[in-house]
Amino acid sequence: LMIGGATTSQVHTAVKIAPEYSGPALYVPDASRAVTVARRLLDPERRWEYADRIRSKYRELHSEHTRKQSAKTLLSLEEARANRAVIDWPSYVPTAPHRSGITVIDDTALSELVDYIDWTPLFQAWKLPGRYPDILDYEHVGKEARELLGDARKMLERIVRERLLRPKAVLGLFPANSSGDDIVVYEDDSRSTVHVTLPCLRQQKQNRPGRANNCLADFVAPVASGVGDYMGAFIVTAGHGAQDLAAAFERTNDDYSAIMVKALADRLAEAFAEYLHSRVRRELWGYAGNEQLDSAALINEQYRGIRPAPGYPACPDHTEKRKLFDLLAGESNTGVTLTENYAMAPAASVSGWYLGHPDSQYFGVGLIGRDQVEDYAGRKKMTVTEVEKWLAPYLSYEPEG
């Protein structure tokens, strides 16, 4: 069993998956390594030696993880909530979206996305450590990095010229307020009918003095403040066509080009998310109409507002993706679907929320206690066991049973 993907890790595999699986289970960080690992596992002479070595390493990781967990001190949920971000809501005047409701975008040319590409993750996928463009001049990997980038640009040029991938997006901007650790999204500006409630998770780690225990709901004006705030949601994909193109290369045994296509589709999907967020800030929501940022500034997130994604550090619950897709009619508007485990297909897709307050920031929820799990389960109308299943990597305790 080979585990991979951005939201998994070697430690997660060692702690949560390997102990529950009878055969070899191991973490593979990217697709370019999968073939080598598979060959080792299929080698009749060395497979068990290789599997036993992995098991031994994972047992050590499991023990180390357990020691670290027991050494960490968490605040109670009540204490964490008392240390929420302090925002001067009475002085805040939200910008009403210039285009409220749902907007489908299916006319974006691939050429518009090229300048928004962050190339650094491409090198990481091939295990070339370093940030672009500095990596191109590194003594030990610079030559390989330049060759890889050259191949990527040639493939990208063909994809753009022949329109081999089809980008599509949907976004929505809605009236919203917070209620405790929940974000309440309304049907319309009357704010009389709740469309959907989004329960959020809060950091419980013991922070240094003066540092808040953040929750995404903190960055949306509370109902009690009387401030009519807003939030957004989006789904973008650059994956339509990627699977067919990769399969065509695989039929000619050109695995390198097949992997390159998938890697470029991922880069274009992230670029589309960056491009669309820029349009939201400057035009569609319009709270940063005078923004002028170059590519480096965008990659370094030097803009106002955030776009946290369900399943990632600030909102690690993948099941919340279902609400996002329902809110935007995601399947019909983009052709992106959710699997039974809430992965998006095509894989080269990105979804998330838009928050626009100047104080909003990215953060990781980190470990959470049983008290928050029980509270969260009640707010989501799920059992504690179900929540523990979906938030397993973030639990500070071992669930019963």
Side-chain angles (χ1 to χ4, degrees):
L1 178 62
M2 293 188 288
I3 309 297
T7 58
T8 64
S9 69
Q10 189 178 62
V11 172
H12 177 238
T13 304
V15 173
K16 299 295 183 180
I17 299 174
E20 305 297 329
Y21 187 64
S22 59
L26 65 162
Y27 174 71
V28 184
D30 58 75
S32 64
R33 296 278 301 279
V35 174
T36 301
V37 172
R39 283 175 178 161
R40 289 175 178 173
L41 290 171
L42 293 172
D43 186 329
E45 295 182 3
R46 300 182 179 179
R47 61 183 298 185
W48 296 117
E49 176 189 349
Y50 176 64
D52 287 343
R53 191 164 68 247
I54 295 295
R55 283 195 187 95
S56 178
K57 179 180 180 180
Y58 282 13
R59 280 194 293 268
E60 292 177 6
L61 287 172
H62 192 292
S63 298
E64 182 181 357
H65 175 79
T66 301
R67 288 194 299 272
K68 287 182 178 179
Q69 299 292 78
S70 61
K72 290 182 178 179
T73 302
L74 296 185
L75 300 177
S76 69
L77 180 57
E78 183 179 356
E79 290 171 325
R81 284 173 171 167
N83 192 42
R84 69 194 310 124
V86 178
I87 295 177
D88 182 10
W89 292 113
S91 300
Y92 179 59
V93 180
T95 300
H98 295 173
R99 187 186 297 183
S100 59
I102 294 175
T103 302
V104 177
I105 297 177
D106 57 6
D107 59 352
T108 303
L110 288 169
S111 57
E112 293 185 73
L113 307 180
V114 172
D115 288 342
Y116 289 85
I117 291 177
D118 178 4
W119 288 108
T120 296
L122 179 77
F123 301 108
Q124 294 171 345
W126 263 269
K127 290 300 166 187
L128 297 177
R131 290 180 63 86
Y132 175 83
D134 297 343
I135 189 174
L136 303 180
D137 297 320
Y138 285 3
E139 180 180 354
H140 298 294
V141 299
K143 181 176 181 294
E144 290 85 352
R146 290 192 295 273
E147 290 176 353
L148 179 65
L149 182 62
D151 292 342
R153 289 192 183 279
K154 287 178 184 177
M155 180 71 76
L156 179 62
E157 183 180 346
R158 179 189 169 192
I159 288 172
V160 171
R161 183 179 66 251
E162 299 180 22
R163 300 179 181 178
L164 298 176
L165 303 181
R166 301 181 298 279
K168 198 162 185 178
V170 62
L171 68 98
L173 299 169
F174 309 98
N177 283 107
S178 63
S179 177
D181 287 355
D182 295 340
I183 298 175
V184 179
V185 181
Y186 299 102
E187 290 277 4
D188 52 45
D189 276 315
S190 72
R191 301 176 188 262
S192 58
T193 304
V194 175
H195 187 60
V196 65
T197 299
L198 310 173
C200 303
L201 289 163
R202 182 174 296 281
Q203 293 174 319
Q204 285 187 266
K205 64 181 179 180
Q206 181 92 48
N207 284 328
R208 63 176 181 268
R211 186 168 181 176
N213 287 82
N214 287 319
C215 173
L216 289 178
D218 294 348
F219 306 124
V220 181
V223 174
S225 71
V227 176
D229 211 347
Y230 300 88
M231 74 166 298
F234 73 94
I235 304 167
V236 303
T237 184
H240 295 309
Q243 192 62 42
D244 291 341
L245 183 56
F249 284 117
E250 288 168 352
R251 284 194 293 271
T252 62
N253 295 318
D254 188 354
D255 290 335
Y256 176 72
S257 293
I259 293 172
M260 181 65 77
V261 166
K262 295 174 184 178
L264 286 173
D266 287 342
R267 292 298 87 227
L268 285 166
E270 295 288 352
F272 199 180
E274 195 74 81
Y275 163 84
L276 188 60
H277 194 192
S278 178
R279 282 194 60 192
V280 165
R281 296 190 302 271
R282 292 182 290 108
E283 306 166 25
L284 303 175
W285 191 339
Y287 62 76
N290 296 323
E291 176 185 286
Q292 293 183 333
L293 299 175
D294 60 16
S295 177
L298 292 174
I299 290 172
N300 291 322
E301 300 166 356
Q302 294 175 8
Y303 45 76
R304 172 181 156 183
I306 57 176
R307 56 172 191 275
Y312 286 79
C315 43
D317 183 357
H318 281 281
T319 68
E320 288 295 292
K321 248 181 255 168
R322 183 67 265 166
K323 293 180 182 177
L324 189 155
F325 270 67
D326 290 345
L327 182 65
L328 299 177
E331 285 90 348
S332 60
N333 282 327
T334 65
V336 179
T337 59
L338 292 176
T339 70
E340 63 181 5
N341 288 315
Y342 302 98
M344 289 178 287
S349 303
V350 182
S351 63
W353 310 109
Y354 292 132
L355 300 181
H357 192 277
D359 291 347
S360 60
Q361 59 185 276
Y362 292 108
F363 62 91
V365 167
L367 294 177
I368 58 176
R370 193 186 301 271
D371 56 350
Q372 181 161 199
V373 169
E374 293 173 351
D375 179 90
Y376 187 70
R379 289 187 284 135
K380 277 182 68 73
K381 297 178 172 57
M382 293 174 67
T383 67
V384 169
T385 301
E386 288 174 309
V387 170
E388 288 175 336
K389 169 191 170 184
W390 290 107
L391 295 178
Y394 301 90
L395 302 181
S396 64
Y397 62 95
E398 287 293 330
E400 296 178 1

